Amino acid sequence: MTGGKIKVLLADDQKMIRQGFSYVISLQDDMEIAGEAADGNEAVAQALALLPDIILMDIQMPGMTGIEASKLITKQLPSVKIVILTTFNDPDYIYEVIRSGAVGYLLKDADVEDMLEAIRSAYRGEAVYRTELAADALSRAVSSAVLLPAYTSGSEDSPLPEPLTEREQEILQEMAYGLRNDRIAQKLFISEGTVKSHVHRILQKFSCEDRTQVVVTALRRGMVK
């Protein structure tokens, strides 16, 4: 990552939706619109040409679906983070999104702030699957061994260098449910700074670089549900 603005590519077949998202994103000090695409084929071409940091990708588009486009993009540009935008809160869709290599699944009727935070979270390397339906789908993907290599760790069977504390285990479970640090803090009645410290320690103990990899590894070990 660089210190510049987050470059966002919008891929949606509805022009009004692209315009709305573009307007909101352009108002952010830390983001900019890298480009737009009206279908899956164009999304792939634009991704390769523009090299965005984040792609907001609709699922249902003419020619090539967002899931199909995501598979092609993540294969060729593994550093690009894709967040799927859809009107369908369906576990089967979420499962396919996880398989595609996208890092997030967001409903189009989400609050604007949730959408902006999803972009920032994805840019930081975090997963943006924040419903219990998504947690179930992630568990299915792991148990079926269909996650892409970028989201797996090669050391699932080796013991942790230091066991998790009871609090770290609690926080790990909430991470598996897709909760953000502020939501975890509220749920466990602790400060957000304390949550961040625990998350940092959990990443260290698992030797993982991001939250998604930690959750996948923990699921493989049976440490979360």
Side-chain angles (χ1 to χ4, degrees):
M1 297 180 189
T2 65
K5 292 188 175 184
I6 304 171
K7 297 186 295 182
V8 182
L9 173 65
L10 302 175
D12 196 297
D13 62 333
Q14 297 184 48
K15 187 175 182 180
M16 289 184 64
I17 289 180
R18 297 200 309 273
Q19 289 176 334
F21 285 151
S22 179
Y23 174 75
V24 171
I25 289 171
S26 65
L27 295 176
Q28 308 308 306
D29 293 336
D30 58 342
M31 301 179 192
E32 64 183 3
I33 297 298
E36 297 182 11
D39 58 51
N41 288 300
E42 190 176 356
V44 175
Q46 290 282 64
L48 293 172
L50 301 173
L51 302 178
D53 299 306
I54 305 293
I55 301 176
L56 294 183
M57 181 89 72
D58 187 22
I59 283 185
Q60 294 188 334
M61 293 186 290
M64 180 188 294
T65 69
I67 291 175
E68 292 169 334
S70 296
K71 290 178 181 178
L72 291 175
I73 292 169
T74 54
K75 183 177 181 180
Q76 299 181 69
L77 300 171
S79 64
V80 174
K81 310 298 185 183
I82 300 174
V83 176
I84 295 292
L85 289 169
T86 181
T87 58
F88 302 100
N89 190 20
D90 184 289
D92 290 331
Y93 269 122
I94 301 171
Y95 180 68
E96 291 302 320
V97 167
I98 293 170
R99 294 186 64 197
S100 76
V103 302
Y105 189 94
L106 191 67
L107 297 179
K108 287 184 178 180
D109 63 358
D111 293 339
V112 169
E113 287 303 318
D114 287 338
M115 184 266 287
L116 295 173
E117 180 56 31
I119 292 173
R120 296 183 178 106
S121 295
Y123 184 68
R124 293 193 296 264
E126 300 174 11
V128 193
Y129 296 96
R130 292 175 178 151
T131 68
E132 291 199 15
L133 283 178
D136 291 342
L138 181 58
S139 181
R140 284 174 55 197
V142 173
S143 64
S144 301
V146 296
L147 286 174
L148 297 185
Y151 294 128
T152 60
S153 170
S155 58
E156 286 89 356
D157 297 327
S158 60
L160 296 181
E162 183 181 348
L164 297 180
T165 65
E166 183 177 348
R167 178 62 84 187
E168 287 168 350
Q169 181 62 49
E170 286 181 306
I171 290 175
L172 178 61
Q173 181 61 65
E174 300 306 327
M175 290 166 63
Y177 286 141
L179 295 187
R180 301 192 302 265
N181 288 347
D182 57 341
R183 300 285 177 83
I184 296 174
Q186 293 171 7
K187 187 171 182 179
L188 299 181
F189 302 103
I190 57 179
S191 72
E192 187 173 351
T194 299
V195 174
K196 288 180 180 179
S197 296
H198 283 304
V199 170
H200 179 68
R201 286 289 295 153
I202 292 168
L203 291 174
Q204 288 184 322
K205 288 182 178 182
F206 277 86
S207 297
C208 290
E209 296 181 358
D210 57 54
R211 296 165 72 107
T212 307
Q213 192 178 44
V214 162
V215 171
V216 170
T217 304
L219 282 165
R220 286 189 184 278
R221 291 171 175 263
M223 297 177 68
V224 294
K225 59 183 179 180

